[in-house]
């Protein structure tokens, strides 16, 4: 069945055109692209083994995607063995209901950055059910206050220059916050610290999950994930099943390639969480709930991913590490930021949108703004053939499956 796309196309074209004329986006994107290219070039020079490691990771990811059912079973058993509780959510609604079942109502929640959280509209859902939810990632916090969606998968507020951040912070904090980045960061730090230690629940995503051990690897720089998942008494991980790999060693390789192409020699923090906090210090009796969370839950979300894995022409999109590198190279993204996107952005985001976050109605306008120039493939550590998949999506939009 083909799709009537007229309204979606018109709305989307308006948003793209106005983004192209937005001087704040131009200013912020010019700064961000320049900084990414300089830093990543210098980082690759220092860590010259990275492209070879990326080739190895490509193999690990491809095999994992072909074996998701088995890895999921192993990972769930590993989480339970570690005294956590593992859930499988077939779709978005199931994931939200499981999360709400754990959290309940009238709770304070601190949350780390998660594109899956965006896909689920998780914050909105928890707020609608009577909870207070704070985004702890600085960029996400800015967007929470501006009531906007992320414009990049790793740097969600990439389109907001410091002058606009100062405006929104001054209003929210009720005092003058100057357009000085250090002052802006300080204001959020002071506000957020109390939230970490009074929150009932911390929520995070994970960059990669090792099925053999149930280890969740979470890469970050700000220290917000460490606090959000360490201070409250309950930690919930919400993660897509495409993040599964067989072993802990595989997970470390995936993590290194992810942060390297995200422009880091080494990130500020690499969190490895596998269960509730515990101690055996008194008489060697293992007791749960020491300094960190006493309860640990993992929700593995499918929601279109296993279907994507079965499709020969699209399954490689599941290899995406969400490093964000391709977006800085994309000529359309460079002038529109995440307006070239729905929930996920850019060429790879178009494929994700089609399968897990909006369907063909939302993905088709995106597919027709991709230039299929292939610059993303050059940058991508997984060499994902986005232009070929975009071509296939266009065929489906016209002729149906
Ligand atoms: S498609 Fe490739 S470059 Fe883009 S975010 Fe995914 S892994 Fe990174």
């Amino acid at each position: 069945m083909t799709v009537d796309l007229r309204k979606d196309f018109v709305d989307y074209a308006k948003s793209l055109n106005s983004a192209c004329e937005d001087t704040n986006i131009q200013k912020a994107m010019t700064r961000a692209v320049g900084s990414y290219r300089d830093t990543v070039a210098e980082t690759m020079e220092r860590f010259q083994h990275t492209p070879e490691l990326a080739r190895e990771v490509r193999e690990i990811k491809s095999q994992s995607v072909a074996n998701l059912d088995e890895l999921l079973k192993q990972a769930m058993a590993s989480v339970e063995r570690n005294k956590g509780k593992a859930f499988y959510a077939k779709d978005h609604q199931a994931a939200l209901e499981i999360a709400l079942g754990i959290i309940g109502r009238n709770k304070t929640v601190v949350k780390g950055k998660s594109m899956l959280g965006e896909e689920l509209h998780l914050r909105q859902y928890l707020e609608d059910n009577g909870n207070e939810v704070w985004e702890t990632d600085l960029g996400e916090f800015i967007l929470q206050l501006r009531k906007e969606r992320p414009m990049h998968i790793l740097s969600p507020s990439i389109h907001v220059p410091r002058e606009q951040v100062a405006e929104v912070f001054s209003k929210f904090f009720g005092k003058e916050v100057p357009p000085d980045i250090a002052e802006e960061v300080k204001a959020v730090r002071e506000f957020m610290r109390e939230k970490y230690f009074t929150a009932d629940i911390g929520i995070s995503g994970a960059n990669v999950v090792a099925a053999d051990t149930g280890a969740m690897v979470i890469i970050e720089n700000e220290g917000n994930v460490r606090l959000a998942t360490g201070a409250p008494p309950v930690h919930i991980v919400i993660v897509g099943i495409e993040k599964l790999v067989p072993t802990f060693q595989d997970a470390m390789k995936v993590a290194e390639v992810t942060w390297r192409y995200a422009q880091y020699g080494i990130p500020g923090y690499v969190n490895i969480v596998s269960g509730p906090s515990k101690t055996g210090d008194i008489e060697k009796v293992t007791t749960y709930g020491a300094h960190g969370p006493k309860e640990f839950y993992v929700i593995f979300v499918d929601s279109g991913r296993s279907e994507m894995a079965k499709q020969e022409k699209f399954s490689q999109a599941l290899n995406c590490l969400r490093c964000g590198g391709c977006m800085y190279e994309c000529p359309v993204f460079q002038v529109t930021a995440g307006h070239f996107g729905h929930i996920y952005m850019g060429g790879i985001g178009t494929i994700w949108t089609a399968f897990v976050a909006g369907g063909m109605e939302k993905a088709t306008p995106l597919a027709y703004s991709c230039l299929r120039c292939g610059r993303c493939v050059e940058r991508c550590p997984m060499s994902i053939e986005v232009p070929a998949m975009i071509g296939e999506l266009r065929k489906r939009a016209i002729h149906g499956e």
Side-chain angles (χ1 to χ4, degrees), residues 153 320-327 348 376 379-382 384:
I153 51 176
C320 175
L321 306 179
R322 309 259 170 91
C323 69
C326 53
M327 287 160 211
I348 185 70
C376 56
R379 172 61 75 191
C380 178
M382 299 293 98
I384 297 174

Side-chain angles (χ1 to χ4, degrees), residues 307-324:
E307 181 51 37
M308 206 166 160
K310 284 184 211 140
Q311 303 231 1
E312 205 191 328
K313 292 191 168 126
F314 294 98
S315 62
Q316 61 170 308
L318 291 163
N319 292 357
C320 175
L321 306 179
R322 309 259 170 91
C323 69

Side-chain angles (χ1 to χ4, degrees), residues 108-110 132 134 136 172-173 186-201 227-228 231-233:
T108 300
V109 179
V110 282
E132 177 185 325
W134 292 103
T136 61
F172 178 73
F173 292 121
K186 187 168 160 238
V188 179
R189 177 189 165 95
E190 283 166 5
F191 172 79
M192 206 56 83
R193 282 195 101 66
E194 182 251 336
K195 300 291 175 203
Y196 292 124
F197 291 99
T198 53
D200 302 289
I201 287 119
L227 282 160

Side-chain angles (χ1 to χ4, degrees), residues 236-267:
I236 303 174
V237 180
I238 302 190
V239 63
I241 56 172
E242 82 283 6
K243 299 288 177 70
L244 289 160
V245 294
T247 69
F248 184 74
Q249 284 179 345
D250 293 333
M252 289 294 101
K253 290 175 184 171
V254 171
E256 182 176 352
V257 172
T258 305
W259 73 60
R260 193 67 36 72
Y261 281 80
Q263 86 181 86
Y264 301 112
I266 181 82

